[in-house]
Amino acid sequence: MKKTLLALSLGMALPLTAVHAEISFNGFANIVAGKASSGDTQWGYDDDVDFKQDSLFAIQASTDLAEGLSATVQIISRGEDDWDTEFEWAYLAYDVNDQTRILLGRQRAPMYMFSDYLDVSYAYPWITPPEGVYDLELSTYDGLSASYNFTLGEFDSTAQLFLGSETNEIEILGTEVESEFDKIYGGSLTLNRDWLTVRAAYLTTDLSLPAPGADQLIAAWQTIPGFETIGDEATIDEEQAKFAEVGFQIDYNNWLLIGEYTHIDYEQMPLDTEESMFITAGYRFDTVLVHLTYGQDENEVNGNVNRLPFGVSPELDGLSAVTEQTFRFREQDSSYYTLGARWDFHDSAALKIEYSRRDNDLINQDTNLVRTALVTVF
Amino acid sequence: MKLLKSLTLCLCVSVSSLAAAETAIIVNPANANAISDNDISRAFLGKLKKFSDGQSIEAVNTKANSDTRVAFEKMVLKKSPAQVKAYWSKRLFTGKGKPLQELASDAEVLNFVASTPNAIGYVDASVVNDTIKVIKTL
C-alpha cells in the first residue's frame, strides 16, 4: 500500500513537474536522550542512557500541482525502529474551495489534539505529548478525509470527517503481531479563537490482534461448561472499539493551560475501557517555558477475568493463567507528574528537559525518568 | 529576583521599541475593504484568506527577526518569534499552509504592496509614502 501510494504520487508529480518544477523540502528532527531510575523501566526507557527511543529525523516534500491539487510526502526515520524509514504522510490534497479540502492517501488519524503534528516536537511544549493519552497504536491510516473550515461566531472552526484502515506491527508480551484497524470511521471538530482552542473527536474501528494460539484457546474454553465464551473474549478478531476525545488549550499572555481526556470502549475484548487524561500548566519567561503536567491512566479489563476457574485442576489453572495474562496485558492504573522546561535558544531549535515520576498503583511501584531533547525544524 | 529582572528587561525593551519606531500596516491604495484588528491578525496567520470584497489576501512578511517583524508579531499576533515559528511548523508539517512570503526590506514590502492590489504588509512608519495606504499604525 505504501509503495503504491508513493508510485501514485510520483506518477502524479513527474509529468507536471516538468512544467512547474517546484518541490519544496522541509524537515524536522528530535534528538532525545533519556534514562530511568536505577532498576526501573518507564515509557520504553531503562536505567541505561538511551538515545533511540524518541529520536527521529523527518523530511517532507510537497509540490503544488495547480488548480487546487497538491502532493505531499513525509518520511520519518525513528531511532526506536532502528532508523527504518517509513512514510508517515503520503497524500494528494484537493482544495475544492477556500473552505473545503480533501486528502487522499496516507495521513494522520486526527484522534488527539496534537495528532496532526505528533512528531514535530518543536511545535509543542513537552518532549513528546503525554504518553498515557497518546499511547494508542493508531496514528496514521490509509484512506480519505475531508476538512471544512468555517467561522462560528468569533471562532475559526475546522470540522473533519475521515475513513480508512491501517495495519501496524505491535509487540504483545514479547511477540510481534500485526494489528489491523479496519473500517475506521471518525470525525473531529476544532474551535479556535485568539487564546482559546477547544476540540472533540470520535471514531470507531474494527480491531484485530492475532494472538498466537488463539484458536486453541477458544477451542479449549469451548469444552468447559459455563465458560464457553471466555475464549472468544480473550481474542481480538474484528471487534469494535469506540474512541472519544475532548481537549482544550489556553495560551493567554505568558500562561499556558492544556488538558485532554480520552475514553475508549471495547466490545467483546480482553479490555473493557481505557480512560486517560492529562493537564499541563506552563509559564513563559521570555525564551524559557516552564511546565508541569499531571496525568492519569486507567485501563479496565473485561470483568470475566475475575471469574476464571482457578484451583479446579492443574490443566484448567494453566489455561486460566494464560488467559488471564492475555486479559491483563494492557491493564493499567497509574498517575504521573512531569516537570519540564523548553528553552528557545535558536531561531529554529529548542532545548527541552523533563523529569517524570510515575506511580503504578497495580504493582505499587514508582519509577522516575529524566529526558532531554534537542528539537529543530528546517 | 530573576523574574523581576526579566520583567524590567521586558518593560525596557517594549518602551524602547515604542520610542524608537512605529509600525504601519499597509495595503494597496485600491483596497477599500474595512479590516478589523482581529482580521489583520488572522490574515497574517493564514486563517483569513479573503478580504470582505472576495479578493484573496496576500500577506507578506519582512525578514525574520527584523525589529519591525518582531514588534509586529508581538503587538498584532501576540506571539514571540519562537511561537510564530512553532505555529507555522504545525501548519507546514500537516500540509495546511506555508509560511508567508518573506521580503528582504521595508522598501521591498512597500513596492510589493504598491504594485499588488490584494497585498497586505507592514513597514516602519517612517518609510510610508503615498504609493500605499496605511490602515493602522501601532
Side-chain angles (χ1 to χ4, degrees):
Chain A
M1 184 60 196
K2 286 167 205 168
K3 270 189 185 140
T4 329
L5 264 171
L6 178 65
L8 187 75
S9 38
L10 284 179
M12 290 297 294
L14 282 177
L16 288 161
T17 45
V19 187
H20 297 278
E22 205 177 289
I23 298 182
S24 44
F25 289 95
N26 297 92
F28 54 92
N30 310 333
I31 308 297
V32 186
K35 183 186 180 304
S37 45
S38 182
D40 292 333
T41 57
Q42 186 175 336
W43 298 332
Y45 291 90
D46 58 22
D47 55 7
D48 289 322
V49 177
D50 181 290
F51 276 86
K52 282 173 112 179
Q53 181 64 27
D54 289 315
S55 294
L56 59 87
F57 277 86
I59 295 281
Q60 175 170 305
S62 56
T63 182
D64 188 351
L65 307 173
E67 297 185 0
L69 201 59
S70 61
T72 301
V73 291
Q74 189 183 97
I75 55 172
I76 301 189
S77 274
R78 293 176 197 277
E80 192 187 2
D81 305 333
D82 285 321
W83 301 106
D84 271 358
T85 302
E86 291 236 11
F87 281 82
E88 293 290 324
W89 297 79
Y91 62 80
L92 291 175
Y94 179 59
D95 291 316
V96 180
N97 51 41
D98 275 350
Q99 278 85 45
T100 312
R101 157 173 275 213
I102 292 169
L103 289 192
L104 181 65
R106 186 160 182 77
Q107 53 194 295
R108 279 269 183 252
M111 306 166 66
Y112 305 110
M113 206 154 43
F114 296 90
S115 281
D116 279 354
Y117 42 99
L118 197 59
D119 296 309
V120 192
S121 187
Y122 186 84
Y124 46 73
W126 324 271
I127 291 173
T128 60
E131 268 76 4
V133 168
Y134 285 78
D135 73 343
L136 209 68
E137 299 285 348
L138 174 66
S139 67
T140 55
Y141 72 99
D142 297 304
L144 178 72
S145 72
S147 60
Y148 179 67
N149 293 308
F150 58 104
T151 48
L152 194 72
E154 302 249 291
F155 286 85
D156 286 308
S157 314
T158 305
Q160 190 171 3
L161 291 173
F162 55 99
L163 59 110
S165 61
E166 164 71 349
T167 55
N168 201 354
E169 293 282 317
I170 72 166
E171 197 187 295
I172 297 174
L173 306 170
T175 319
E176 289 264 312
V177 296
E178 184 159 272
S179 63
E180 280 178 37
F181 295 87
D182 280 330
K183 298 187 188 130
I184 304 170
Y185 295 105
S188 70
L189 179 68
T190 308
L191 307 180
N192 165 259
R193 181 181 182 274
D194 204 9
W195 47 265
L196 175 68
T197 305
V198 289
R199 181 190 199 275
Y202 182 80
L203 77 81
T204 69
T205 181
D206 283 356
L207 179 62
S208 296
L209 267 182
D215 290 345
Q216 288 115 293
L217 207 60
I218 295 177
W221 283 112
Q222 275 170 346
T223 62
I224 301 161
F227 294 95
E228 291 89 348
T229 59
I230 294 274
D232 283 328
E233 287 172 355
T235 58
I236 306 174
D237 182 25
E238 293 189 6
E239 318 282 5
Q240 198 179 45
K242 296 173 185 165
F243 171 93
E245 179 261 9
V246 286
F248 73 92
Q249 286 183 71
I250 290 172
D251 193 339
Y252 187 74
N253 290 336
N254 288 321
W255 288 97
L256 191 68
L257 197 62
I258 305 173
E260 196 165 14
Y261 166 82
T262 56
H263 181 102
I264 312 173
D265 268 320
Y266 297 93
E267 282 179 16
Q268 292 289 308
M269 273 195 243
L271 275 165
D272 186 30
T273 57
E274 283 189 35
E275 271 187 302
S276 290
M277 62 75 71
F278 73 83
I279 185 142
T280 295
Y283 189 83
R284 223 174 260 117
F285 301 89
D286 196 22
T287 55
V288 175
L289 169 69
V290 177
H291 55 89
L292 180 68
T293 299
Y294 172 73
Q296 264 183 1
D297 304 300
E298 205 175 314
N299 299 353
E300 287 188 356
V301 296
N302 186 321
N304 281 337
V305 71
N306 298 320
R307 300 200 300 114
L308 290 171
F310 280 102
V312 180
S313 71
E315 291 81 12
L316 209 50
D317 280 354
L319 183 61
S320 294
V322 170
T323 308
E324 180 171 31
Q325 204 185 17
T326 311
F327 271 105
R328 295 201 189 276
F329 88 95
R330 254 179 89 98
E331 190 183 26
Q332 231 190 105
D333 185 3
S334 61
S335 60
Y336 56 91
Y337 290 93
T338 297
L339 178 65
R342 168 193 176 129
W343 175 33
D344 285 289
F345 69 100
H346 181 276
D347 278 356
S348 321
L351 190 65
K352 300 182 179 183
I353 182 158
E354 277 171 23
Y355 164 76
S356 301
R357 179 187 178 82
R358 181 164 178 258
D359 299 336
N360 187 335
D361 286 344
L362 285 183
I363 50 171
N364 230 341
Q365 192 186 42
D366 300 339
T367 52
N368 301 279
L369 173 68
V370 174
R371 279 184 291 184
T372 154
L374 182 66
V375 302
T376 71
V377 288
F378 47 91
Chain B
M1 185 57 208
K2 270 224 174 101
L3 174 64
L4 211 67
K5 221 171 173 178
S6 60
L7 213 72
T8 21
L9 199 71
C10 287
L11 277 173
C12 294
V13 169
S14 53
V15 169
S16 67
S17 69
L18 271 179
E22 288 195 309
T23 302
I25 299 168
I26 58 172
V27 295
N28 190 275
N31 188 336
N33 290 293
I35 178 162
S36 67
D37 289 2
N38 189 35
D39 282 350
I40 295 173
S41 161
R42 290 172 68 224
F44 280 90
L45 291 172
K47 291 178 182 170
L48 184 70
K49 300 204 167 89
K50 283 183 170 151
F51 287 112
S52 44
D53 68 357
Q55 289 195 82
S56 61
I57 296 177
E58 189 142 357
V60 284
N61 260 329
T62 56
K63 251 192 344 233
N65 295 315
S66 68
D67 291 347
T68 326
R69 177 151 161 194
V70 172
F72 173 82
E73 288 174 345
K74 190 172 180 66
M75 283 187 279
V76 177
L77 308 183
K78 301 189 177 70
K79 288 177 175 12
S80 69
Q83 283 175 278
V84 175
K85 183 112 184 169
Y87 172 83
W88 283 108
S89 302
K90 291 176 198 174
R91 312 260 309 176
L92 180 67
F93 293 113
T94 55
K96 283 182 182 147
K98 284 185 196 138
L100 306 182
Q101 190 183 344
E102 259 176 38
L103 298 174
S105 63
D106 278 3
E108 280 192 31
V109 174
L110 219 54
N111 285 338
F112 182 83
V113 173
S115 60
T116 314
N118 58 343
I120 182 167
Y122 53 86
V123 290
D124 189 294
S126 64
V127 306
V128 162
N129 60 31
D130 56 11
T131 62
I132 49 84
K133 185 164 101 178
V134 175
I135 53 169
K136 190 178 169 67
T137 309
L138 303 165

